[in-house]
Amino acid sequence: YENLIEPNNYQSNDQITPERYVEMLKWALVKEKNQLLIGQMLGQVGIVYWNLLTQEQRERMAPELERTLFHCMNDKHDDPSIKKQFFNTFRSVTITETNKKRLFNIWKGELSVAGLRLSENDKISLASNLAIKLPARAESIIQEQYEQIKNPDSEKRFAFIRPSLSNDIGKRDQFFESLKDEKNRETESWVLGALSNLHHPLRRPNSEKYIRPSLELLKEIQETGDIFFPKRWLDRTLGSYNSKSAVEIVDEFLEDNPDYNKQLGMKINQSIDMARRSSKIFEVLAKK
């Protein structure tokens, strides 16, 4: 994996490609029984799938990858915690119409997976995922899920983040603007959840515009928030990108602020690191 994410290695014709690496993970996941190793590999599946594959590669690989993950969850394991691991990755990477429908039916309670128990928070996460992946049905999914929530704290959280799930870009823009007000950032875990929705990989083309103003807010966030909030804010803002344009926005910000806080500057570079690596890898592979 360390070799995979090192752009300089791609000068060699012997370097394994992200596509081959995903194929290797699929092969290993079908055979592996150790929960820790399964968790490690599933984490890498998500990173490589969303950050190191092009859209065309994802669309080509998605059907078989989704089939493998569902098979492992449904047929290979009896341990509920392992089933949940596979389900979470399956939910994350699914982009085919067949499996989006399958996820929708699981959320509606019309389809079940033996041994897979979904809590209210799991249902909320699934509804959030579906709202992004089924944009035409986003508002109805959001409303139906909101009406089903029984936990008062979960209800408040969902009410806060629901504009970030909207298919209406104007509503998402308005929500992002609201985060510039300190009082709207008081419950930091809610803010981080909303940022993940705003910057979901499927929304990259419409969400890059939030990067610069998010960086401009960083010093204020450091002054007003928890000690760990700036890095988490950056990770949720920058962690889902893989394009040269996103890297350029960050580099331009740092160039425009040569005397910027050193510690915050390092945090910015840490959070944009995968996008920097990905964009360089794409550039090398495109020339081959």
Side-chain angles (χ1 to χ4, degrees):
Y1 178 73
E2 293 300 323
N3 286 330
L4 183 78
I5 63 174
E6 173 48 58
N8 291 331
N9 291 343
Y10 286 80
Q11 302 294 340
S12 169
N13 290 329
D14 295 328
Q15 170 65 9
I16 188 171
T17 64
E19 285 181 288
R20 285 187 60 204
Y21 194 78
V22 172
E23 292 291 343
M24 182 195 74
L25 289 174
K26 282 166 48 184
W27 172 84
L29 282 166
V30 171
K31 299 175 180 298
E32 186 56 60
K33 297 180 181 178
N34 182 284
Q35 185 173 356
L36 291 176
L37 293 178
I38 288 172
Q40 179 83 352
M41 288 189 287
L42 289 174
Q44 291 183 7
V45 167
I47 293 171
V48 177
Y49 184 80
W50 287 118
N51 294 87
L52 293 176
L53 298 181
T54 65
Q55 180 178 336
E56 292 74 20
Q57 288 170 333
R58 278 195 301 276
E59 290 174 354
R60 184 166 61 248
M61 299 193 74
E64 185 62 23
L65 175 61
E66 293 170 16
R67 188 201 69 78
T68 299
L69 292 172
F70 191 83
H71 166 66
C72 288
M73 173 182 65
N74 196 46
D75 305 320
K76 295 287 292 183
H77 297 280
D78 296 323
D79 187 326
S81 60
I82 295 179
K83 283 182 177 286
K84 182 69 72 68
Q85 286 179 302
F86 275 103
F87 175 75
N88 288 340
T89 302
F90 176 71
R91 180 190 66 196
S92 170
V93 305
T94 288
I95 58 173
T96 65
E97 294 302 319
T98 296
N99 283 315
K100 284 191 288 186
K101 183 177 180 180
R102 178 177 271 165
L103 284 171
F104 182 83
N105 289 337
I106 290 174
W107 172 69
K108 291 284 285 185
E110 297 171 0
L111 175 67
S112 62
V113 176
L116 179 67
R117 295 187 290 271
L118 298 181
S119 67
E120 182 172 81
N121 285 335
D122 292 328
K123 287 287 189 74
I124 293 171
S125 295
L126 179 53
S128 300
N129 187 274
L130 288 169
I132 294 171
K133 293 181 178 178
L134 299 172
R137 307 175 78 167
E139 295 305 322
S140 62
I141 290 171
I142 293 167
Q143 184 59 33
E144 183 172 341
Q145 181 59 58
Y146 181 71
E147 292 172 355
Q148 291 177 356
I149 297 174
K150 297 178 181 178
N151 183 289
D153 291 332
S154 297
E155 184 180 26
K156 291 176 184 176
R157 178 186 180 276
F158 196 71
F160 177 84
I161 71 168
R162 64 182 294 175
S164 71
L165 294 168
S166 176
N167 188 42
D168 186 331
I169 296 175
K171 288 183 180 180
R172 300 205 302 268
D173 290 348
Q174 188 176 15
F175 175 79
F176 177 78
E177 287 297 315
S178 75
L179 296 180
K180 295 179 180 180
D181 187 334
E182 180 186 347
K183 72 176 187 294
N184 292 324
R185 302 194 304 267
E186 288 180 354
T187 308
E188 295 173 0
S189 62
W190 295 2
V191 173
L192 295 173
L195 286 176
S196 294
N197 298 330
L198 290 178
H199 294 282
H200 189 280
L202 293 176
R203 289 176 163 177
R204 285 169 179 154
N206 295 315
S207 299
E208 277 193 4
K209 61 186 176 184
Y210 303 137
I211 294 178
R212 177 83 187 211
S214 294
L215 296 177
E216 291 169 347
L217 273 173
L218 191 58
K219 283 186 178 180
E220 180 181 331
I221 284 169
Q222 182 190 43
E223 294 167 358
T224 60
D226 178 83
I227 187 172
F228 299 110
F229 192 36
K231 182 61 167 63
R232 290 167 179 166
W233 171 276
L234 289 169
D235 286 344
R236 299 301 177 94
T237 298
L238 303 174
S240 68
Y241 290 93
N242 64 356
S243 65
K244 186 177 181 180
S245 57
V247 174
E248 288 173 344
I249 293 171
V250 171
D251 288 343
E252 287 172 6
F253 173 81
L254 293 174
E255 289 170 7
D256 292 343
N257 296 274
D259 299 321
Y260 196 71
N261 180 287
K262 185 177 180 181
Q263 294 296 322
L264 290 181
M266 288 192 292
K267 286 180 170 62
I268 291 172
N269 279 315
Q270 285 177 332
S271 297
I272 198 64
D273 180 67
M274 181 54 75
R276 200 181 297 280
R277 291 172 182 271
S278 300
S279 60
K280 288 180 181 178
I281 290 170
F282 290 146
E283 190 173 331
V284 174
L285 291 177
K287 294 177 181 177
K288 287 192 172 184

